[in-house]
């Protein structure tokens, strides 16, 4: 989705903005643009397509000079991807330029009002109303004009604005859309995402809703919604630029797949003390709740499906898992005895935010499981547990998903301990198995070259099925999504027992069925389902536990993964599936890190 960045200082802004935009590319976009305060006027460059097109334009425009500017990557919502609709947008008098991330819901109303004053709009975007209204409100005081403007805006925004009359000054504002200020020495920055800033500074201020920032090379001032200056804490980022770069891997996705042992370790180890799970950051009375709802989108929802199984098994409390885009409109039955767990890598997914607001409104307590520190969901939730996966850049999540699953498992064990629904022996055994996950994940990664061979063998299947039962079914959902997200092959996940009630007619000679077979309590049943598809000519690629002999005679090929507790199976079993999706997409020549039409963080409904 859209990304914004800005710079004010003593260096040329162009290369700094373009570098920031390149780092925001992973979020998904279809056009990009930058604007700087030139000698006499605001100068702009825009390009449809990749940031590299914008870089070419910049290199062909030697006059494009200025030490203060703003930049944007746009994922079209209002109006097609085009140079006209790309940001920055300029006011009709040419005095102001804006970049915006979010959606102005009342833009049509504001536009109609401004058109009555004869103001001519150039684009079809909702964003242009911000800059036209700002110019209309401007009577010589930049800050006042901006405060007056944002007071009229409904919806969500993170904006950066420059003015031809105020050299070196950038104003930023936020409402329900991420915005971070970066602090440098006689140069300051802003961005929607830390990855755009981290090569320049590691000291940041997280902006909250309703706040406005004034950036000059000399310093940064933050104002509250009434325009009063306030003090905000400076956060020091602990990860470095290498974490946000490919470190020798061809794709971010492969780098992030390979980082999983480390990411799991970072998520697990600080929370285990003397074989006990300790959430220092969590003050939650589990006895208060009589049910749990889990809600999320995409892969985070699939992690939630795993979480449902683990929490129910260990805590014996009813748990529902539902995609946020449905839950938010379902008038769900919940009250102050309901615990809602929202899961989100980015912490910015619009549907997830809306669903959690709805749940809070109904009196539920919200616990968020989030990767991005200081994100909207982390801030809005009553309680928050962070996955410590580090920055995830590839659109298709990998380490984000496995760290979510392990944190849900840890939460379930902790909650079962609080509720006394788990024996001491079972508790200790779960904790030990959780502690061994990083090492087992590493062993699953050792399948790399074998999975590559499987991809060589099966990559041209145009349509395939993933089947599994219980935990294996949850993995089937995620394995199937991973494959279709990045390779564009049609794939469906079925609960293994349900295929015969559904589209088993589509199983024909040569069709690939990926059978997840690590949930051994139901292995015999899954094997029956394998036999049913084999009888119709399917080829079967199975994932099973090391030492499982029964599967060898049933499947065409088997990927063996290390044995783990049945409730923790997904963390390990998904790894060869991530690798499989990666290599199939590569064989099919797909843009792995930036699959078409998808965005890393979906900030629109
Ligand atoms: C998008 C991404 C998915 C992701 C989902 C939820 O659809 O393409 O990979 O799983 O959003 O994102 P979140 O940041 O909330 O986990």
């Amino acid at each position: 989705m859209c990304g914004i960045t800005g710079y004010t200082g003593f260096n040329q802004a162009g290369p700094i903005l373009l570098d920031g935009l390149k780092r925001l590319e992973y979020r998904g976009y279809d056009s990009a643009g930058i604007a700087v305060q030139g000698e006499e006027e605001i100068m702009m460059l825009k390009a449809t397509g990749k940031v590299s097109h914008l870089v070419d334009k910049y290199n062909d425009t030697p006059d494009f000079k200025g030490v203060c500017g703003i930049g944007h990557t746009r994922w079209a919502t209002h109006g097609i991807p085009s140079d006209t609709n790309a940001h920055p947008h300029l006011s009709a008098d040419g005095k102001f330029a804006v970049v915006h991330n979010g959606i102005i819901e009342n833009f049509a109303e504001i536009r109609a009002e401004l058109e009555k004053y004869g103001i001519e709009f150039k684009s079809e975007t909702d964003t242009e109303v911000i800059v036209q209204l700002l110019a209309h409100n401007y009577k010589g005081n930049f800050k006042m004009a901006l405060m007056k403007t944002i007071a009229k805006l409904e919806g969500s925004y993170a904006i950066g604005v420059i003015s031809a009359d105020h050299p070196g000054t950038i104003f930023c504002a936020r409402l329900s859309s991420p915005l971070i200020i970066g602090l440098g020495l006689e140069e300051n920055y802003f961005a929607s995402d830390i990855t755009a800033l981290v090569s320049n500074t590691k000291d940041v201020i997280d902006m909250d809703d309703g706040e406005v920032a004034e950036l000059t090379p000399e310093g940064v001032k933050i104002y509250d919604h009434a325009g009063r200056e306030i003090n905000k804490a400076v956060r020091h980022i602990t990860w470095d630029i290498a974490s946000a770069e490919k470190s020798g891997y061809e794709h971010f996705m492969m780098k992030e797949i390979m980082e999983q042992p480390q990411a799991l370790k970072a998520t697990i180890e600080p929370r285990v003390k003397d074989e006990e799970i300790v959430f220092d950051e969590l003050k939650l009375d589990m006895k208060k709740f009589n049910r749990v709802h889990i809600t999320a989108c995409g892969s985070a929802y699939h992690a939630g499906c795993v979480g449902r199984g683990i929490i129910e098994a260990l805590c014996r409390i009813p748990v529902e898992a539902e995609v946020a885009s449905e839950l938010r409109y379902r008038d769900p039955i919940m009250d102050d005895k309901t615990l809602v767990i929202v899961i989100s890598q980015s912490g910015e997914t619009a549907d997830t935010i809306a669903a959690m607001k709805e749940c809070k409104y109904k009196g539920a307590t919200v616990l968020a499981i989030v990767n991005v520190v200081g994100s909207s969901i982390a801030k809005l939730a009553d309680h928050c547990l962070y996955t410590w996966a580090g920055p995830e850049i590839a659109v298709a999540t990998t380490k984000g998903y496995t760290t979510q699953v392990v944190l849900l498992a840890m939460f379930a064990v902790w909650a079962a301990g609080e509720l006394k629904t788990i024996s001491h022996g079972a508790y200790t055994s779960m904790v030990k198995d959780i502690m061994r996950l990083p090492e087992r994940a590493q062993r699953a990664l050792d399948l790399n070259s074998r999975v590559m061979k499987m991809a060589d063998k099966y990559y041209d299947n145009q349509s395939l099925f993933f089947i599994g039962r219980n935990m294996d079914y949850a993995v089937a959902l995620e394995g199937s999504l991973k494959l279709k997200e990045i390779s564009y092959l049609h794939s469906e996940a079925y609960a293994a027992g349900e295929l015969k009630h559904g589209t088993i007619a589509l199983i024909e000679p040569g069709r690939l069925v990926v059978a997840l077979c690590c949930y051994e309590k139901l292995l015999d049943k899954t094997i029956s389902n394998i036999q049913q598809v084999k009888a119709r000519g399917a080829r079967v690629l199975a994932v099973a536990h090391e030492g499982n002999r029964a599967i060898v005679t049933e499947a065409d090929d088997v990927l063996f993964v290390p044995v783990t507790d049945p409730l923790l199976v997904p963390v390990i079993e998904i790894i060869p599936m991530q690798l499989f999706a990666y290599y199939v997409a590569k064989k099919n020549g797909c843009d792995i890190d930036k699959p078409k039409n998808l965005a890393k963080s979906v900030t629109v409904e």
Side-chain angles (χ1 to χ4, degrees):
M1 296 265 132
C2 306
I4 61 174
T5 190
Y7 169 81
T8 178
F10 52 88
N11 283 306
Q12 280 304 309
I16 296 169
L17 296 172
L18 292 168
D19 179 64
L21 294 185
K22 273 195 217 139
R23 294 183 196 282
L24 291 171
E25 280 189 297
Y26 76 97
R27 295 172 62 92
Y29 71 103
D30 36 44
S31 57
I34 53 175
V36 293
Q37 288 168 343
E39 285 272 300
E40 279 157 22
E41 53 174 13
I42 291 177
M43 302 173 77
M44 280 203 309
L45 287 175
K46 298 181 184 191
T48 311
K50 300 282 176 201
V51 171
S52 57
H53 301 164
L54 188 64
V55 174
D56 291 343
K57 281 196 178 173
Y58 175 77
N59 290 335
D60 290 343
T61 320
D63 296 346
F64 193 88
K65 290 209 174 337
V67 292
C68 175
I70 52 180
H72 189 267
T73 50
R74 172 173 186 254
W75 191 83
T77 56
H78 296 67
I80 56 162
S82 65
D83 286 8
T84 313
N85 287 333
H87 301 210
H89 289 285
L90 210 56
S91 56
D93 61 5
K95 293 275 186 197
F96 295 92
V98 69
V99 286
H100 165 223
N101 188 4
I103 288 186
I104 305 303
E105 284 164 6
N106 59 339
F107 83 98
E109 194 184 309
I110 300 176
R111 183 170 172 148
E113 223 171 279
L114 291 171
E115 278 171 342
K116 281 194 211 140
Y117 291 98
I119 295 168
E120 277 181 35
F121 281 74
K122 289 201 176 68
S123 76
E124 300 155 81
T125 65
D126 54 328
T127 299
E128 196 182 341
V129 300
I130 303 173
V131 75
Q132 301 292 17
L133 183 61
L134 177 64
H136 179 72
N137 287 336
Y138 182 66
K139 306 280 177 279
N141 185 321
F142 194 176
K143 180 183 155 198
M144 267 175 61
L146 182 77
M147 301 292 302
K148 194 168 170 194
T149 301
I150 59 174
K152 269 221 122 164
L153 305 179
E154 285 168 20
S156 62
Y157 53 80
I159 52 176
V161 204
I162 52 173
S163 156
D165 291 348
H166 299 265
T169 299
I170 301 176
F171 271 97
C172 301
R174 114 158 224 170
L175 185 72
S176 303
S177 210
L179 179 63
I180 292 143
I181 309 298
L183 307 175
L185 212 59
E186 291 177 30
E187 43 189 358
N188 291 301
Y189 313 80
F190 77 84
S192 48
D193 187 323
I194 291 174
T195 42
L197 300 180
V198 78
S199 59
N200 300 312
T201 177
K202 290 172 126 193
D203 292 319
V204 300
I205 295 174
D206 297 306
M207 296 286 286
D208 286 302
D209 281 350
E211 292 174 354
V212 168
E214 181 180 6
L215 282 65
T216 58
E218 294 76 39
V220 171
K221 288 182 182 167
I222 313 283
Y223 306 103
D224 68 8
H225 66 282
R228 292 173 296 230
E229 197 173 339
I230 53 171
N231 285 323
K232 296 268 296 181
V234 176
R235 178 159 67 93
H236 188 72
I237 297 164
T238 48
W239 48 270
D240 58 15
I241 189 66
S243 314
E245 286 178 343
K246 285 187 208 154
S247 314
Y249 287 99
E250 194 181 341
H251 298 100
F252 279 111
M253 183 176 176
M254 183 51 91
K255 175 186 174 244
E256 289 158 6
I257 289 173
M258 291 298 168
E259 279 173 352
Q260 286 177 107
Q262 188 45 44
L264 289 167
K265 216 172 171 183
T267 302
I268 297 166
E269 280 189 357
R271 286 148 169 161
V272 180
K273 290 177 191 140
D274 301 327
E275 293 190 345
E276 226 180 278
I277 291 175
V278 182
F279 290 121
D280 288 328
E281 66 270 52
L282 194 62
K283 309 273 172 272
L284 197 62
D285 177 12
M286 278 307 292
K287 295 183 192 80
K288 191 177 143 192
F289 307 114
N290 60 14
R291 69 164 93 178
V292 177
H293 278 257
I294 301 179
T295 192
C297 301
S299 296
Y301 164 70
H302 294 159
C305 293
V306 178
R308 171 181 55 199
I310 311 180
I311 297 169
E312 278 199 340
L314 299 183
C315 303
R316 304 312 298 156
I317 184 170
V319 187
E320 278 182 40
E322 190 171 12
V323 288
S325 54
E326 285 295 312
L327 182 82
R328 65 182 288 192
Y329 293 119
R330 201 168 54 79
D331 193 9
I333 299 166
M334 49 179 70
D335 55 27
D336 59 355
K337 293 192 184 65
T338 311
L339 174 67
V340 173
I341 303 179
V342 297
I343 310 168
S344 174
Q345 189 284 129
S346 63
E348 301 297 345
T349 303
D351 283 320
T352 311
I353 293 176
M356 83 185 270
K357 284 185 179 163
E358 175 68 14
C359 298
K360 280 187 88 164
Y361 172 75
K362 287 183 176 283
T365 299
V366 174
L367 164 66
I369 291 190
V370 175
N371 192 40
V372 177
V373 176
S375 54
S376 302
I377 291 177
K379 282 184 183 153
L380 284 168
D382 301 302
H383 306 272
C384 181
L385 289 173
Y386 285 111
T387 50
W388 296 113
E392 194 178 60
I393 309 292
V395 166
T397 178
T398 51
K399 61 178 182 169
Y401 167 84
T402 43
T403 51
Q404 284 163 355
V405 172
V406 79
L407 198 47
L408 283 160
M410 294 182 84
F411 172 77
V413 176
W414 171 85
E418 296 285 302
L419 295 169
K420 304 201 187 334
T421 52
I422 190 169
S423 70
H424 180 68
Y427 183 104
T428 313
S429 154
M430 281 299 286
V431 174
K432 280 188 180 151
D433 262 353
I434 287 170
M435 293 288 281
R436 293 196 62 186
L437 285 173
E439 170 234 318
R440 287 174 176 155
Q442 187 58 57
R443 279 175 46 216
L445 286 170
D446 294 343
L447 286 165
N448 193 16
S449 51
R450 172 140 172 82
V451 179
M452 199 193 307
K453 285 195 191 111
M454 292 296 106
D456 281 352
K457 184 170 172 184
Y458 292 118
Y459 77 96
D460 57 352
N461 250 266
Q462 286 310 303
S463 172
L464 56 153
F465 289 89
F466 283 69
I467 58 169
R469 287 169 180 261
N470 196 296
M471 286 297 162
D472 287 331
Y473 174 49
V475 177
L477 292 169
E478 175 60 6
S480 172
L481 175 66
K482 216 71 320 177
L483 186 81
K484 59 190 162 192
E485 272 186 317
I486 59 170
S487 70
Y488 320 137
L489 298 181
H490 170 253
S491 158
E492 277 194 61
Y494 257 91
E498 187 64 13
L499 191 58
K500 61 184 178 295
H501 301 295
T503 44
I504 197 161
L506 294 179
I507 302 291
E508 53 187 41
R511 176 78 71 231
L512 178 64
V513 175
V514 179
L516 286 316
C517 301
C518 291
Y519 191 74
E520 293 187 343
K521 287 184 188 170
L522 296 173
L523 183 62
D524 290 351
K525 306 287 169 201
T526 307
I527 286 184
S528 307
N529 303 127
I530 290 176
Q531 287 162 349
Q532 289 158 8
V533 298
K534 287 284 292 180
R536 286 158 182 83
R539 290 186 292 172
V540 172
L541 168 63
V543 185
H545 274 164
E546 288 164 352
N548 178 345
R549 291 190 180 185
I551 200 71
V552 180
T553 48
E554 304 293 344
D556 295 80
D557 292 287
V558 186
L559 295 165
F560 286 108
V561 293
V563 180
T564 190
D565 184 279
L567 296 178
L568 302 174
V569 151
V571 181
I572 305 302
E573 193 177 37
I574 192 62
I575 290 176
M577 295 296 89
Q578 295 167 343
L579 291 167
F580 186 67
Y582 175 88
Y583 286 118
V584 169
K586 198 168 166 194
K587 278 294 279 185
N588 284 300
C590 302
D591 189 351
I592 292 179
D593 282 339
K594 283 169 250 147
K596 65 181 173 198
N597 298 339
L598 289 182
K600 180 72 183 158
S601 169
V602 182
T603 48
V604 296
E605 190 176 339

